[in-house]
Amino acid sequence: VPITPARKIWMDGDLVPWDEAKIHVLSHVVQYGTGVFEGIRCYQTPRGPAVFRLTDHLRRLFRSAVIYRTTIPYSLDELHTAIKDTIRANGLSECYIRPLAYQGYGEMGVNLFPTPAKVTIAAWPWGSYLGKDSVENGVRVKVSSWRRHDPNIVPPAAKATGQYINSALAKAEALEAGYEEAVMLSPLGHIADGSGENLFVIRDGELLTPPESAGILLGITRDTLIRIARDHGYKVQQRNLVRSDLYTADEAFLCGTAAEVVPVRDVDGRVLGTNGRGPITKELQEAFFAAVRGESEQYAAWNELVG
Ligand code: PPE
């Protein structure tokens, strides 16, 4: 997906012109993938642009930093302000936001060195991650031959730049085989994540989603949908799932900040019960979009106004 440039990128306290936001090719993050990051969305709401669950995303960024022994030289509150400043400086209302704390230029070798990370924040308009029609029509999914990395190899609970070469392999395989997205199994063979999404299965009116121990990223969108589904009276279980649970689902959907909520139309050529978007998926999608767009009083605390 080509990037739509915006005007300014926040780099260690300065808002620099988009085309000048550069780092050295020998930076540690370029050579070894040593950066922790977030993907966040801002939506237009009746009270103005609001970043969805910004504080929760920043909490996860700091948890990723703990895992990777990364010192972020700013507080959560400072980054909260910097993100809002970046959105305002770019004149954006609806956008995707990408904060990154990375190991910069200075040392070579695979150590996670103790010098403070460099921090950058970009924001730009980004449409549907899985294609324009994916939210309505759903996507075709392939169970990948690439396993998701194990918690004792590369911890999936952290969101680090280098980890995504695993997702990239799975995504490429799925696209080459004519599918739109990959679902990866854990090393033990349980369903884990899509290349950039969490997954839910719906069977007999109940929602099932893999637990943290299956090696998923603990998605903010996943958490949002668990809450919304329970508020709508559905039972939600976090438990291990195998690929046949996916093949025999009544409905399934992928969810993530970039993808939002996308129905799964078929898995490995097996068309799911509803051939497109199922009724429960649609109900939860509508509640999700109402929440992110600030149309639900009940979830208003999740809309963090840019101001
Ligand atoms: N699993 C993975 C592997 C993942 O990358 C994401 C987000 C999720 C689950 C959902 O997490 P959350 O966004 O908190 O609900 N993927 C991000 C990056 C995608 C990209 O290609 O870049 C995202 O959606 O922003």
Side-chain angles (χ1 to χ4, degrees), residues 193-213:
D193 274 352
S195 73
E197 309 87 8
N198 292 120
L199 179 91
F200 282 81
V201 157
I202 302 171
R203 202 159 55 200
D204 300 327
E206 186 182 342
L207 277 78
L208 306 168
T209 194
E212 182 178 13
S213 57

Side-chain angles (χ1 to χ4, degrees), residues 60 96 98 129 159 164 193 196-198 219-221 256-258:
R60 188 172 65 187
Y96 185 79
R98 172 59 59 86
Y129 185 63
K159 199 166 171 66
Y164 278 81
D193 274 352
E197 309 87 8
N198 292 120
I220 311 283
T221 319
T257 300

Side-chain angles (χ1 to χ4, degrees), residues 76-237:
L76 191 149
D77 283 350
E78 285 170 328
L79 292 185
H80 201 276
T81 302
I83 284 174
K84 292 179 175 182
D85 289 347
T86 307
I87 295 167
R88 277 195 301 267
N90 282 291
L92 293 165
S93 51
E94 302 236 342
C95 59
Y96 185 79
I97 306 145
R98 172 59 59 86
L100 166 69
Y102 63 96
Q103 300 289 356
Y105 173 84
E107 294 193 32
M108 197 51 78
V110 293
N111 190 21
L112 290 168
F113 46 87
T115 49
K118 308 288 259 177
V119 178
T120 165
I121 301 164
W124 68 93
W126 198 7
S128 293
Y129 185 63
L130 293 176
K132 208 161 60 67
D133 303 326
S134 63
V135 168
E136 271 182 40
N137 300 332
V139 290
R140 302 186 57 237
V141 161
K142 182 185 194 310
V143 174
S144 185
S145 72
W146 294 100
R147 294 290 169 104
R148 183 142 165 87
H149 37 76
D150 175 270
N152 293 304
I153 297 176
V154 175
K159 199 166 171 66
T161 57
Q163 304 196 176
Y164 278 81
I165 53 173
N166 176 229
S167 288
L169 286 169
K171 181 82 180 187
E173 181 191 66
L175 293 179
E176 279 165 21
Y179 294 84
E180 285 144 308
E181 187 52 290
V183 166
M184 285 180 280
L185 305 179
S186 72
L188 293 176
H190 297 126
I191 305 233
D193 274 352
S195 73
E197 309 87 8
N198 292 120
L199 179 91
F200 282 81
V201 157
I202 302 171
R203 202 159 55 200
D204 300 327
E206 186 182 342
L207 277 78
L208 306 168
T209 194
E212 182 178 13
S213 57
I216 61 165
L217 178 71
L218 280 176
I220 311 283
T221 319
R222 172 184 179 274
D223 182 71
T224 301
L225 283 150
I226 290 174
R227 167 81 188 278
I228 288 175
R230 286 183 176 151
D231 288 349
H232 279 236
Y234 294 106
K235 199 171 156 206
V236 184
Q237 275 194 71

